[in-house]
Amino acid sequence: MSFWIDVPAETDEERVAAWRRQLAPLVADVFATYSAGFFADYSPESLAELEQFVLAALPDPAVMKEPSALPVVKAAVGYLGETLLRAGGGEWLWGQGKYAGTPCVALEADAAQLAPMEYITKAVRVRDGNQFTRLWSRIEAGHGADSADLLLTLVETIVQNRGYSCTIESDELLLSGDGASDWVLPLDNLRRKIAAEPQDQWPALVADHLSTMFAELDVAATDPLDLDDFERIRPLLRARMYPEDMADVGIPVVARTLAPGLAQRVVIDQVNTIVAVTYDRLSHWQIQEQDLFELAEDNTHDDGLLTVEDLEDEDGERIFGLYGSGDYASAHVRWLGAYPVVGHWGAAFVVPCEGTVFIHPLNGTDAYVTVGTLAKMAMVTHAERPSPVSPSVYWWNDGIIELAAEVRESGDELELHVSAEFQEVMEQIAEYADGPG
């Protein structure tokens, strides 16, 4: 017997057969116990609800190893795999290589093994609620279920050709070799960067992406930066926005929440790489946390303002974009007052990913419609582009940032959950437009 099956089996064929026999009753029992309202019809449309069930039952990856969570993990693996097979054709198989001993699927259009457990783990770690539907969209669009395996193969090959070795855990590249023992590179941005490109362009794109890491390793070997020398670090400090719930890679980083879902971090710009300042590093410097944020913001602001582009569409909706910095455009939402994009009641804005800021000046009742347009723009960009920040809509007024509306997907529709504070502003705008009496 093994973790996955509850009867003895000598061969992989026997293990697959045992797994398939226990699958239906296991899934039915788990959902009846933990989520009676879940309609388990094994359709691609049910994957979003499956992921919400997984996120509710498994609050973090560590919980997945607890005995009480094992039925949920096994049921989720079984349901995800079976759904992909019913929609895309194929068969269950017993994993080989790094997936050894794990139930996997091979789709008809792509014989490579796909491990549902890998995507369950990623969903629990990333917690954006879109991992399963994104997986199916990629398969349905013809990228193939082996896209992830191809990417990992390219990464491993390029790393090895540079004389390093690596392991990949939870979608992170852990580099080892001369001078690289502490290097960790998340692969999500790379995955987003290449997703829309033909696979024959992937080798060049992956090599270009990894070249910045290798360049920084070369610099670290020949002219290492003394991170304790604050006077040398001072001009390198910058500020930018990140998701509020972004993982700290094991070490708490200097960050502050500006509004729900939106956090600001202080980083060190090392030209080839951007490194978050940790609280441990801060403890070695003679500066207070608040002063550090102010210094980082001043440095970022002193790099110069961005270019403002009027994106007014055919319906006359006034939306502006800020352009000119792929690494620090998000920081500029702190000083929107420096741009001609602020109305009488401030501005509504979205920062779905680094390098992308869309803004609507709040002057009239067109805000009702335009905020919805901003939400649609944010949701699409946040789901697809590298360095995602937040899909929510925010309100800037006199230098203060607040949540305007949380954006959620519901099937093919977007739901806007407007905050009480912003609802009050919208009502004030409507009253002003109606005039007295």
Side-chain angles (χ1 to χ4, degrees), residues 13-311:
E13 290 76 12
E14 293 177 351
R15 295 183 183 95
V16 170
W19 168 251
R20 293 183 61 191
R21 283 195 302 270
Q22 72 181 42
L23 188 57
L26 170 66
V27 169
D29 180 63
V30 167
F31 287 135
T33 302
Y34 296 93
S35 183
F38 179 52
F39 184 51
D41 62 352
Y42 294 96
S43 67
E45 293 74 22
S46 69
L47 291 179
E49 188 176 355
L50 171 68
E51 188 159 355
Q52 292 306 314
F53 162 74
V54 168
L55 296 182
L58 305 171
D60 61 68
V63 173
M64 298 177 66
K65 300 178 181 179
E66 296 179 1
S68 60
L70 298 186
V72 172
V73 172
K74 293 166 68 173
V77 166
Y79 188 92
L80 177 58
E82 190 67 18
T83 299
L84 297 177
L85 291 177
R86 294 190 186 189
E91 62 181 355
W92 283 101
L93 53 83
W94 215 245
Q96 303 296 323
K98 65 178 179 180
Y99 303 127
T102 303
C104 294
V105 298
L107 303 180
E108 286 183 352
D110 177 13
Q113 62 182 351
L114 181 151
M117 182 62 180
E118 179 180 8
Y119 292 91
I120 302 295
T121 303
K122 184 179 179 181
V124 174
R125 181 180 60 83
V126 176
R127 308 194 75 77
D128 66 356
N130 297 316
Q131 296 303 313
F132 300 163
T133 54
R134 190 175 298 144
L135 168 63
W136 172 245
S137 295
R138 188 172 71 244
I139 294 172
E140 190 177 34
H143 289 295
D146 67 340
S147 296
D149 287 336
L150 174 58
L151 171 61
L152 300 185
T153 298
L154 288 171
V155 168
E156 291 170 345
T157 299
I158 292 171
V159 167
Q160 290 168 4
N161 287 343
R162 290 296 299 262
Y164 297 95
S165 59
C166 68
T167 57
I168 296 175
E169 299 177 5
S170 300
D171 213 34
E172 292 180 339
L173 172 68
L174 311 179
L175 197 65
S176 58
D178 186 23
S181 59
D182 295 329
W183 282 78
V184 179
L185 179 68
L187 295 177
D188 184 61
N189 280 340
L190 176 57
R191 198 179 305 283
R192 288 166 174 258
K193 183 177 182 179
I194 67 175
E197 304 298 333
Q199 288 192 0
D200 61 0
Q201 296 183 20
W202 285 19
L205 292 170
V206 173
D208 179 70
H209 186 86
L210 295 180
S211 66
T212 59
M213 177 180 67
F214 294 126
E216 189 60 34
L217 282 169
D218 292 340
V219 171
T222 58
D223 184 23
L225 182 64
D226 183 0
L227 295 178
D228 287 332
D229 185 353
F230 184 70
E231 292 309 309
R232 186 178 179 186
I233 297 298
R234 174 186 287 272
L236 305 181
L237 295 172
R238 296 294 184 275
R240 55 186 269 175
M241 303 301 167
Y242 287 87
E244 182 185 14
D245 60 355
M246 183 174 178
D248 289 337
V249 196
I251 305 175
V253 301
V254 177
R256 61 183 178 184
T257 298
L258 301 181
L262 186 64
Q264 183 185 47
R265 292 187 176 189
V266 177
V267 300
I268 304 172
D269 190 325
Q270 299 181 198
V271 181
N272 294 305
T273 59
I274 294 173
V275 180
V277 174
T278 65
Y279 279 104
D280 178 66
R281 180 59 53 199
L282 176 58
S283 69
H284 291 79
W285 297 339
Q286 298 300 311
I287 188 171
Q288 298 299 311
E289 182 175 345
Q290 179 62 36
D291 296 333
L292 184 72
F293 274 107
E294 292 180 3
L295 173 59
E297 285 195 326
D298 287 344
N299 287 348
T300 309
H301 188 278
D302 290 346
D303 288 337
L305 294 179
L306 305 180
T307 300
V308 181
E309 183 174 337
D310 191 339
L311 306 177

